[in-house]
Amino acid sequence: MLKDIFYKKRRYATVQAEQGQAQAEKPTVKEVPEGLMTKCPECGTIAYAKELEKNLKVCQGCGHHFPMTAFERIAMLVDEGRFFEYDSELLSTDPLNFPDYTAKLEKDMEKSGLSEAVVTGEGTIKGYPAIIAVMDSRFRMGSMGSVVGEKIARAIERAIEKRYPFILFSASGGARMQEGVLSLMQMAKTSAALAKLDAARGLYISVMTNPTTGGVSASFASLGDYNFAEPGALIGFAGRRIIMQTIRQELPEDFQTAEFLLKKGQLDRVIPRKELRDTLVTILDMHTERREN
């Protein structure tokens, strides 16, 4: 019937495999289901997707750090079963009636499984309690709209109230253009909340991942008591081409990378993903009391 005529075709990636010297001139072609293997954009190493996930999405060939989703980072960081999400019901509206904005939000919700570009909540890291915020670049490129700013500000307020450290992983293209000046206001709101946290002698650890740009890099991402970054992360305000056109000078090859910012004193340390949890535990041990599960 109709289902025999119309069917969903599985997607495959095609790879060539040689079958001995005699058949070297006629390599066999094998089809591999798409998503089974991942190619590193830096060194070209091909790895099984599941093996890459076990390695915390770090290339075993060159150490390239692939993007992680918000909940992948939380799972990497927090004790199992010890994360409690905040404000997942907050949803963006369309205050400026921007063309197709609502449809794009709905599409990103479906694609990412998230309600917004940041996930906030509380959890324990080897028994140490913390308020955690993790941005996810799959949702509007991690752009900072009103809800992103509100969720981060509320998380900071809870850190003040509970006297917990605040840890934020940034991954963003900057302010969300579809919300105009309302998006830009989130820079001031989150920075003011962090000033209150500082006045209350609270601890704020900022971890910048690839990319951290625009209004996010110019506000809460750069205001940590400890400012860390993952290797190779793009961190900056304006784009490289715009800066070159403005100052009319060539820029270093490693400009706006985590390593460049570390050399210039803007970061405290560049930390490989596999070492991050232990580093955070060391800092939390210096500043907080451990809570047994």
Side-chain angles (χ1 to χ4, degrees), residues 163-214:
R163 302 188 68 81
Y164 285 176
F166 178 55
I167 304 172
L168 188 144
F169 289 79
S170 53
S172 176
R176 189 172 297 178
M177 59 173 284
Q178 292 93 340
E179 296 186 22
V181 71
L182 297 175
S183 175
L184 296 177
M185 287 171 60
Q186 307 313 308
M187 296 173 63
K189 180 164 71 176
T190 53
S191 298
L194 286 171
K196 291 181 181 179
L197 178 65
D198 182 65
R201 302 179 68 82
L203 173 67
Y204 170 37
I205 303 172
S206 174
V207 183
M208 298 175 228
T209 70
N210 185 53
T212 298
T213 59

Side-chain angles (χ1 to χ4, degrees), residues 244-255:
M244 290 179 64
Q245 289 175 347
T246 302
I247 66 175
R248 300 183 185 280
Q249 293 181 19
E250 290 294 322
L251 297 171
E253 285 296 321
D254 63 347
F255 182 69

Side-chain angles (χ1 to χ4, degrees), residues 3-283:
K3 67 178 182 180
D4 297 320
I5 301 173
F6 300 101
Y7 62 93
K8 187 174 182 181
K9 194 173 182 180
R10 292 186 65 185
R11 300 178 68 186
Y12 289 89
T14 301
V15 296
Q16 290 186 340
E18 293 188 359
Q19 299 288 324
Q21 210 164 5
Q23 297 180 3
E25 295 181 2
K26 295 180 68 176
T28 55
V29 177
K30 293 185 177 181
E31 291 187 333
V32 179
E34 189 172 1
L36 181 65
M37 308 189 81
T38 303
K39 183 177 179 180
C40 175
E42 293 295 323
C43 69
T45 297
I46 298 176
Y48 284 106
K50 288 185 178 180
E51 289 298 319
L52 189 63
E53 289 177 7
K54 288 180 182 178
N55 203 44
L56 300 181
K57 289 195 169 181
V58 176
C59 175
Q60 292 182 325
C62 67
H64 171 72
H65 284 50
F66 285 80
M68 296 187 87
T69 69
F71 282 105
E72 284 175 338
R73 287 194 183 278
I74 291 167
M76 172 192 83
L77 187 67
V78 175
D79 301 331
E80 187 174 355
R82 301 297 300 173
F83 180 77
F84 307 95
E85 188 175 357
Y86 294 153
D87 302 317
S88 59
E89 74 284 356
L90 292 184
L91 301 174
S92 290
T93 59
D94 187 9
L96 305 182
N97 295 319
F98 200 94
D100 300 324
Y101 181 41
T102 300
K104 289 177 180 178
L105 289 173
E106 292 173 353
K107 184 177 179 180
D108 280 0
M109 288 180 195
E110 181 180 354
K111 177 182 68 176
S112 66
L114 303 176
S115 60
E116 251 300 341
V118 67
V119 175
T120 59
E122 68 176 85
T124 60
I125 306 172
K126 286 194 177 181
Y128 295 98
I131 305 295
I132 302 164
V134 184
M135 303 188 77
D136 195 316
S137 60
R138 295 176 302 161
F139 197 108
R140 296 287 87 209
M141 195 49 214
S143 55
M144 179 178 58
S146 300
V147 170
V148 169
E150 180 66 17
K151 290 181 74 170
I152 291 173
R154 288 189 185 189
I156 296 168
E157 288 167 1
R158 287 186 172 105
I160 296 171
E161 178 186 345
K162 295 186 172 225
R163 302 188 68 81
Y164 285 176
F166 178 55
I167 304 172
L168 188 144
F169 289 79
S170 53
S172 176
R176 189 172 297 178
M177 59 173 284
Q178 292 93 340
E179 296 186 22
V181 71
L182 297 175
S183 175
L184 296 177
M185 287 171 60
Q186 307 313 308
M187 296 173 63
K189 180 164 71 176
T190 53
S191 298
L194 286 171
K196 291 181 181 179
L197 178 65
D198 182 65
R201 302 179 68 82
L203 173 67
Y204 170 37
I205 303 172
S206 174
V207 183
M208 298 175 228
T209 70
N210 185 53
T212 298
T213 59
V216 169
S217 70
S219 56
F220 56 81
S222 301
L223 296 177
D225 296 302
Y226 296 90
N227 288 322
F228 298 140
E230 289 189 332
L234 170 65
I235 303 168
F237 182 64
R240 181 187 184 96
R241 180 169 54 84
I242 294 174
I243 295 173
M244 290 179 64
Q245 289 175 347
T246 302
I247 66 175
R248 300 183 185 280
Q249 293 181 19
E250 290 294 322
L251 297 171
E253 285 296 321
D254 63 347
F255 182 69
Q256 290 186 328
T257 64
E259 291 73 14
F260 180 85
L261 269 61
L262 179 64
K263 286 191 293 185
K264 299 300 180 180
Q266 192 170 337
L267 293 175
D268 296 303
R269 189 176 166 192
V270 176
I271 307 176
R273 193 172 287 165
K274 289 184 176 181
E275 300 175 14
L276 183 58
R277 189 170 192 257
D278 288 340
T279 301
L280 292 177
V281 168
T282 299
I283 294 172

